[in-house]
Amino acid sequence: LLPLELLVCVMSVCMVLLCPYTKVEESFNLQAIHDILYHSTNIDKYDHHEFPGVVPRTFSGPIAVAAPAYPLVKMSHSMGATKFTSQYIVRIILGLIITGSFISYNRAVAKKLGTSVSQYLCLVTLTQFHFLFYSSRPLPNTFALALVLLAFRFWILQNYELFIWTSGAAIILFRFELVVLFGLILMMELVSGRLKIIQFLFHVIPAGMLWLSLTIVVDSLFWKRWVWPEGEVFWYNTILNKSSEWGTSPIWWYFTSALPRSLLLPLFMIPWGIYTDRRTMTFLIPAIGFVSMYSLLPHKELRFIIYTIPLFNTIAATGYSQIWKNRYKYPLVIPVGAICSLLVTWGLSLVFLVISINNYPGGHAFHNLHKIMNENENHLDTYSVHIGVEAAMTGVSRFGEINPTWKYSKIEGLPHDSKELLEFDFLLISAGDYHYYNTSHFLIHKESGYSRLSFTPRQFPPVTIIIENKIFVLKRKGCGFTSDDEG
């Protein structure tokens, strides 16, 4: 590996070490990986039977991560590590899969646009936050990203057979809307004559049949019914437009919010990259076309267009490369400004990182509950723990259930005054709900989390990250454990 490529891998690992917890969007894949590792063929014990979600998801990605993780997980347990160590392992493996695909794409860029551009592509990626942050997060989009980057490589190298097979897997297994992105690329290649229609049909039909058969057979086994998960997801989100129930954004949101946040200052280098090397239009057309067409759906999230970031960054890297190659021909302010833009981008990414570290209060609270109890002589007793919705959405996972003698519950919809809820020994609740339980439970830990940003132009730095109490950990009165924080 080249130094910058190695640094990309290292940064992905660092993101996991600094932000080991996950959000609710990642819960299915993370729990599925956990169940494959710890329940193996006992599918009845899998989490998705109790919490199936609104639509089924494929097990293809979790299997791909769990397989290489299995020996490392077994080794970690033999060395006395807790089960949560396994979450680090599986997320690091996923991050390395994504960065490995990125490096493969980057080397194809080097062959097409030159080594200097590929080096700046790594440098730009290293200064940005979102791409590397998402690289280890077990989202369907992240699993798809591994195949998307490989498909981009085969496209650049004009290996159309592998491009069709790889892009087909990404579409059918993980994200069906990628048919738009790859469809635009295929149209470009067909119109240019570089790809023949006969060649396209010869590969697309068997590829589609193979990947569709694979996902139906594998996922029907896990879901215990005949199912093509991504087909149901596409029908639910796109055809029925049910995804809008999770919130909507203006049609221009990707261009005015998501892309500026993810690209930061290298965004302004894209026009220069296009101007100095017209070959970059090949990267721009599918990226802009995909984001534009995807903007028609009301529900929008940055992760839905994460696949376009490497394409935009490639164009920006071309601009940086041209400036550096011709730095003596420009006024000094231009190359210095280019370098400063990367430094400022890196600084802004540090702000995003600090926010993200403080954005998983549920995971931290769950960890601190076990830490508090491990310091108590009765920590091996059998206790019951109820994980509230907000805690479950902000970092709690099956990997965090490290005490085998405890009983963990994520039952939803229990009234605050229900006997079943009040009988739990420990509660992880939203801070605002404490008044419901102050007569039945003691407060033993407060977990704070990110609330908002405060801007004060006259101070330095002008941005302050506001942290507020998010999750309270409560202990039932009289359950046999005393704490200095009680009362």
Side-chain angles (χ1 to χ4, degrees), residues 446-462:
K446 297 178 181 180
E447 193 65 51
S448 58
Y450 169 74
S451 177
R452 65 187 186 279
L453 291 177
S454 175
F455 295 91
T456 308
R458 295 184 180 181
Q459 75 174 27
F460 184 83

Side-chain angles (χ1 to χ4, degrees), residues 392-448:
M393 293 177 66
T394 58
V396 175
S397 75
R398 297 289 189 192
F399 285 105
E401 298 175 357
I402 61 176
N403 198 317
T405 65
W406 291 13
K407 297 179 180 179
Y408 302 91
S409 171
K410 295 188 294 182
I411 298 175
E412 300 177 6
L414 294 178
H416 295 299
D417 58 351
S418 69
K419 180 181 179 181
E420 183 179 1
L421 188 59
L422 297 179
E423 286 181 348
F424 280 98
D425 296 320
F426 295 99
L427 302 176
L428 273 71
I429 63 167
S430 173
D433 291 339
Y434 176 51
H435 63 280
Y436 291 111
Y437 309 100
N438 56 10
T439 60
S440 60
H441 288 70
F442 289 114
L443 173 65
I444 63 171
H445 180 73
K446 297 178 181 180
E447 193 65 51
S448 58

